[in-house]
Amino acid sequence: MPNKRLSVVVTRRLPDVVETRMTELFDVTLRDSDTPMSREELVDAMRRSDILVPTITDDIDASLLTQAGDRLKLIANFGAGVDHIDVHTARQRGILVSNTPGVLTEDTADMALALMLAVTRKIPQGLAEMQADQWRGWSPMAHLGTRIGGKRLGILGMGRIGQAVARRARAFGMQVHYHNRRRLRPEVEEALEATYWESLDQMIARMDVISVNCPHTPSTFHLLNARRLKLLKPSAVIVNTSRGEVIDENALTRGLRAGEIAGAGLDVFERGHSVNPRLRELPNVVLLPHMGSATLEGRIEMGEKVIVNIKTFADGHRPPDQVLPSML
Ligand code: 8YV
């Protein structure tokens, strides 16, 4: 298939440099406004394109996939997580799926540490006080937070991002613990000075901070459910930069309100951008609008990965970042 004739539809606005390169390489339809496509627009895009470039704001479910045209052959996702795409149905219909792993690892890990510090050191409260011109001068007992150095961090999901969080946490003097589907190789564990817990329940009960870094799959949905959240120490803090669905958000909110959990730093939510209003009222919670990977450099590298995946596919090879149902 000659590249020029490949019809590519991109569902969201991307950095100029990415859009320009795509325009040079493909017969590309770009988005005019910075809004998600409606379902009707998505169906239309999937009927008339060879390649769709969606993002997390596009729910590519089985019903949409069955309405796709015969020519749709690749869904080159702009993002690492693919939980908004029904990868099984896509495969059954002969549509490949690729993603953009690796390039958002460090930025997302930075944000996990930023959230940990924001919650434990009360940074938003300090900022609010300054902005409201309410600071009446230094006081030994004001603004007291808790130290993260020396504390036990339990990382839930020790893939690329989990390991990047572990490296940073070590630099902050934290003790790294983790739970993962598979135990890391001994040399990796040793380099990270990380302690493996086969039992998530046992790990959770002993940690000062929990960082959620596993993808959302059917087996991680509500991994932190009401029962598990009850195992946390009342002084524990949870940080989530992965997917909201991994935590039962209502149970978390109840725990935070009841003082059974000391605090939370959340960049992602269970129901997309519709955040539990009770979470917003809590002083011990820092909420961010899913900006863990939001750096200009990261977005450009994500775009470059999408382009490599499309080009490789167009040249008759498997996209380097193909996602298979067996990987989920
Ligand atoms: C992305 C993310 O910005 O890549 C991911 O999985 O969660 C985000 O940080 C978003 O998914 C882009 O589609």
Side-chain angles (χ1 to χ4, degrees), residues 117-134:
L117 288 168
V119 176
T120 58
R121 299 300 303 275
K122 304 180 186 289
I123 293 171
Q125 287 93 324
L127 175 64
E129 196 175 306
M130 295 302 282
Q131 288 178 330
D133 194 15
Q134 281 172 348

Side-chain angles (χ1 to χ4, degrees), residues 74-307:
L74 173 65
I75 297 175
N77 186 50
F78 182 88
V82 290
D83 51 330
H84 55 293
I85 302 172
D86 185 336
V87 179
H88 287 86
T89 304
R91 186 156 176 86
Q92 278 163 9
R93 297 187 56 86
I95 302 167
L96 304 188
V97 176
S98 64
N99 66 346
T100 62
V103 290
L104 33 75
T105 303
E106 307 300 326
D107 295 328
T108 309
D110 285 347
M111 196 58 94
L113 267 293
L115 279 171
M116 263 176 233
L117 288 168
V119 176
T120 58
R121 299 300 303 275
K122 304 180 186 289
I123 293 171
Q125 287 93 324
L127 175 64
E129 196 175 306
M130 295 302 282
Q131 288 178 330
D133 194 15
Q134 281 172 348
W135 187 37
R136 299 291 163 257
W138 186 84
S139 147
M141 295 307 289
H143 314 114
L144 298 186
T146 51
R147 176 189 292 166
I148 63 167
K151 298 285 162 51
R152 291 173 153 220
L153 168 66
I155 298 176
L156 183 42
M158 201 57 146
R160 286 186 183 88
I161 299 175
Q163 292 180 36
V165 170
R167 286 195 297 275
R168 284 158 176 74
R170 286 296 305 146
F172 278 89
M174 300 185 89
Q175 298 166 29
V176 174
H177 299 256
Y178 76 100
H179 173 82
N180 199 40
R181 267 190 302 189
R182 275 182 304 274
R183 188 170 178 167
L184 297 177
R185 292 196 315 278
E187 61 274 22
V188 181
E189 234 178 45
E190 209 176 297
L192 296 170
E193 296 179 79
T195 304
Y196 173 67
W197 292 77
E198 193 176 340
S199 159
L200 177 57
D201 286 2
Q202 286 186 20
M203 180 178 90
I204 280 179
R206 289 164 178 81
M207 295 299 122
D208 301 302
V209 181
I210 294 284
S211 177
V212 177
N213 298 108
C214 58
H216 165 222
T217 66
S219 55
T220 65
F221 176 77
H222 281 194
L223 201 55
L224 294 185
N225 54 22
R227 181 189 67 76
R228 285 214 170 98
L229 291 169
K230 290 256 180 219
L231 300 174
L232 284 165
K233 298 201 284 188
S235 56
V237 164
I238 298 187
V239 164
N240 189 0
T241 50
S242 173
R243 285 292 182 270
E245 290 90 337
V246 179
I247 307 180
D248 179 339
E249 196 170 291
N250 287 334
L252 174 67
T253 309
R254 282 197 300 274
L256 287 159
R257 280 165 62 89
E260 294 162 4
I261 303 167
L266 307 173
D267 188 42
V268 284
F269 304 90
E270 204 180 324
R271 286 162 285 274
H273 65 276
S274 128
V275 178
N276 185 329
R278 294 203 152 151
L279 272 178
R280 277 194 242 126
E281 295 159 5
L282 294 171
N284 50 346
V285 175
V286 177
L287 306 175
L288 293 179
H290 195 160
M291 49 195 270
S293 68
T295 65
L296 181 58
E297 295 89 336
R299 292 285 183 259
I300 291 173
E301 289 172 15
M302 287 164 75
E304 284 165 355
K305 276 220 159 226
V306 167
I307 291 171

